[in-house]
Amino acid sequence: MDRMKRTPISEQDPKVRATNFEEVCLGYTEEEAMAEAARCLNCKKPLCVTQCPVTIGIPEFIQHVKNGEFEEAAKTIAKSSALPAVCGRVCPQEVQCEGKCVLGIKGEAVAIGKLERFVADWSREHNIDLSAVEDKKGKKVAVVGSGPAGLTCAGDLAKKGYDVTIFEALHEAGGVLVYGIPEFRLPKDTVVKHEIENVKKLGVKIETNVIVGRTVTIDQLLEEEGFDAIFVGSGAGLPKFMGIPGENANGVFSANEFLTRNNLMKAFKEGYSTPIRVGNKVAVVGGGNVAMDAARTALRLGAEVHIVYRRSESELPARVEEVHHAKEEGVIFDLLTNPVEILTDEKGWVSGMKCVRMELGEPDASGRRKPVEVEGSEFTLDVDTVIMSLGTSPNPLIPATTKGLEINKRKCIIAEEETGLTSREKVYAGGDAVTGAATVILAMGAGKKAATAIDEFLSK
Ligand SMILES: Cc1cc2nc3c(=O)[nH]c(=O)nc-3n(C[C@H](O)[C@H](O)[C@H](O)COP(=O)(O)OP(=O)(O)OC[C@H]3O[C@@H](n4cnc5c(N)ncnc54)[C@H](O)[C@@H]3O)c2cc1C
């Protein structure tokens, strides 16, 4: 065995997968997982763990995999994470745990994410019970939002014996895991639902179709409904737009709306009535993970898809793996290109997008080279659908309806980093609602820290 090289993992063929919504990566077999685990050096001071926002016992679970002790591996991960099958699939491991793997200095890092995914899938397929709950504390905590931050905070508090209720605005629990990240990266009915069921098994109640700030306010939950503390994990679901002419035309979507119609409302499946109109040629404006997801979804719905991004390939904010998969599947990258106007036909539908070419100048405040317009470079991209993927910010509803809950200039709730405590007593917050759009694992880390802080506060 070449210890420097990873055990290869099977994927669906790009040509086949570009026409379906089945998962791209097929996962390790037991033998492959054990072979990959055997590459781990089991370092005395494991740097991988220091890079994990929920501090999973990585070398410990990998040693169990190496020995074929898959149930023990699952129990090790469950001590720190309620969503391992999710994280094994969507975490940016290359800049976290795997980024610090010693093997990565001269060769390829251990495939920690793929091993985590293997263990979580094995544990699901073998019905391993991972719920261990302490004695009841007799205190009630409300959690707003059922994304990774809310689910983690709720699960940790339920394990400690609190009576926890999650209030979720949508009709299904999971946050971005169900409405944002597509099926071909994160299967909903198997993976996501199962991990939510595990949180419910700990005793967490989930009330869907409750918009906190409208159906009930935070003040009412505390003052009238008898909750002793609240965690706000309401995410950052408000899309940004460019403000260019034509952006209100028919056929212009925010990536959030486009992905929600597909993932949550199942517009891609026959037999579901939610409409989605994807023309023949789609432009996705933006270069992040969300843009890649929107582009690969539009491709699977049968369109020719262009990513339109104003910087060059090395500045693309999306994970390298996502860019690689998008290219393999046939997404076209129009880099150093910036839209200036969306053109419409006489009925108000998109008929093209006027763009200019860009070149990179001096670094800007973000440290990245600033894109500068090339004079006289205007041209029209022949597209009939435009998907704007320019980032999102938190919805202002909760701060606007809660006494004394402060937000910053970016509309994010202000909360202490170590505890999640906000400016309002008994109210904690974490995840995208506090940081702005970030990652699943950072949201989970924030949910965990807040659960510890809420427990300390309520134990006084
Ligand atoms: C398309 C897409 C792809 C992504 N891909 C990745 C990836 O590959 N890897 C990665 O690590 N991260 C990825 N992310 C980012 C990641 O999903 C988020 O950072 C993470 O989900 C944030 O978790 P959260 O719990 O803070 O919020 P969310 O997941 O947004 O959950 C918030 C929940 O709160 C609910 N809510 C909001 N307001 C209210 C209210 N007033 N009352 C009740 N409920 C409310 C929402 O409906 C939602 O269910 C992606 C994001 C998107 C949009």
Side-chain angles (χ1 to χ4, degrees):
M1 181 184 72
D2 181 356
R3 202 165 204 162
M4 289 301 144
K5 283 223 147 90
R6 274 187 177 184
T7 310
I9 198 158
S10 314
E11 288 182 346
Q12 266 200 81
D13 182 82
K15 284 207 184 75
V16 177
R17 69 179 195 242
T19 62
N20 69 45
F21 279 83
E22 306 297 316
E23 202 175 0
V24 170
C25 177
L26 303 174
Y28 279 142
T29 61
E30 291 187 6
E31 294 70 31
E32 288 166 345
M34 287 166 74
E36 182 58 16
R39 294 180 63 230
C40 175
L41 299 173
N42 200 8
C43 303
K44 273 215 179 97
K45 284 191 185 160
L47 294 176
C48 50
V49 181
T50 63
Q51 296 303 303
C52 173
V54 297
T55 52
I56 291 175
I58 295 169
E60 192 184 338
F61 100 73
I62 291 184
Q63 291 310 302
H64 283 310
V65 176
K66 178 180 151 190
N67 299 333
E69 299 154 358
F70 306 135
E71 184 168 342
E72 285 74 10
K75 288 185 173 156
T76 304
I77 297 175
K79 283 185 212 158
S80 316
S81 171
L83 307 172
V86 170
C87 291
R89 286 169 166 84
V90 304
C91 263
Q93 293 102 4
E94 65 281 2
V95 292
Q96 294 184 340
C97 51
E98 293 175 13
K100 285 283 173 193
C101 175
V102 173
L103 281 183
I105 298 170
K106 289 198 174 154
E108 291 178 339
V110 174
I112 301 170
K114 301 283 192 279
L115 288 175
E116 182 185 23
R117 168 202 163 122
F118 164 80
V119 171
D121 289 355
W122 186 94
S123 145
R124 182 181 66 249
E125 284 153 15
H126 291 78
N127 292 317
I128 305 298
D129 184 9
L130 300 167
S131 49
V133 176
E134 292 173 21
D135 291 344
K136 290 277 168 231
K137 293 265 198 316
K139 291 198 170 157
K140 277 172 47 166
V141 181
V143 170
V144 183
S146 62
L151 287 171
T152 302
C153 186
D156 276 17
L157 285 169
K159 277 191 205 163
K160 291 179 199 288
Y162 291 95
D163 177 356
V164 186
T165 308
I166 298 182
F167 296 102
E168 167 55 50
L170 295 173
H171 62 274
E172 230 175 89
V176 172
L177 307 180
V178 290
Y179 80 73
I181 305 180
E183 189 74 23
F184 54 84
R185 285 212 292 130
L186 187 62
K188 313 296 161 221
D189 284 345
T190 46
V191 174
V192 180
K193 280 203 179 136
H194 178 82
E195 298 209 323
I196 293 172
E197 281 310 311
N198 280 349
V199 173
K200 282 197 200 163
K201 273 191 203 153
L202 298 169
V204 173
K205 288 167 271 196
I206 304 186
E207 289 194 24
T208 51
N209 298 313
V210 178
I211 304 177
V212 174
R214 291 238 190 283
T215 325
V216 64
T217 63
I218 299 257
D219 297 332
Q220 285 170 330
L221 289 172
L222 285 172
E223 290 156 19
E224 295 168 24
E225 306 283 332
F227 283 96
D228 298 290
I230 300 194
F231 174 76
V232 181
S234 49
L238 204 63
K240 294 179 187 163
F241 285 91
M242 291 187 80
I244 57 174
E247 230 173 354
N248 291 330
N250 296 324
V252 180
F253 294 90
S254 70
N256 259 32
E257 180 191 346
F258 180 75
L259 289 166
T260 303
R261 280 173 182 252
N262 267 284
N263 297 330
L264 191 63
M265 322 302 270
K266 309 285 182 215
F268 68 92
K269 277 193 177 168
E270 273 179 36
Y272 281 78
S273 55
T274 312
I276 187 104
R277 177 189 181 275
V278 177
N280 296 322
K281 288 191 179 185
V282 175
V284 177
V285 182
N289 287 319
V290 181
M292 297 307 138
D293 282 343
R296 296 172 70 197
T297 298
L299 190 92
R300 283 160 170 76
L301 292 170
E304 173 187 304
V305 183
H306 295 247
I307 287 273
V308 177
Y309 178 60
R310 63 196 184 129
R311 290 183 158 99
S312 72
E313 176 148 2
S314 44
E315 286 86 19
L316 278 170
R319 290 180 69 192
V320 174
E321 184 181 352
E322 301 308 323
V323 176
H324 170 71
H325 279 150
K327 280 187 179 169
E328 268 189 340
E329 289 164 10
V331 172
I332 300 158
F333 282 71
D334 292 329
L335 301 169
L336 290 166
T337 303
N338 202 28
V340 288
E341 183 180 355
I342 294 167
L343 307 172
T344 50
D345 65 15
E346 63 288 352
K347 289 189 175 149
W349 286 92
V350 174
S351 62
M353 188 164 76
K354 240 190 230 175
C355 299
V356 287
R357 301 272 181 221
M358 310 296 280
E359 58 190 10
L360 293 180
E362 295 300 312
D364 63 12
S366 72
R368 294 177 304 174
R369 290 176 65 196
K370 195 174 171 206
V372 185
E373 185 177 332
V374 177
E375 244 177 77
S377 63
E378 199 170 281
F379 70 101
T380 299
L381 194 63
D382 172 26
V383 291
D384 50 18
T385 305
V386 176
I387 300 171
M388 289 291 177
S389 181
L390 307 158
T392 51
S393 59
N395 190 308
L397 178 63
I398 291 179
T401 55
T402 308
K403 278 184 266 172
L405 189 63
E406 285 175 15
I407 53 172
N408 64 19
K409 273 192 209 143
R410 296 189 301 131
K411 310 234 171 11
C412 299
I413 297 172
I414 298 173
E416 285 178 9
E417 201 182 327
E418 282 312 309
T419 62
L421 182 64
T422 66
S423 52
R424 170 80 191 267
E425 199 199 13
K426 300 183 185 173
V427 179
Y428 296 74
D432 283 6
V434 168
T435 56
T439 62
V440 170
I441 195 75
L442 284 175
M444 288 173 66
K448 243 184 161 15
K449 281 184 186 168
T452 306
I454 291 171
D455 178 41
E456 275 169 17
F457 168 66
L458 294 180
S459 305
K460 276 182 194 159

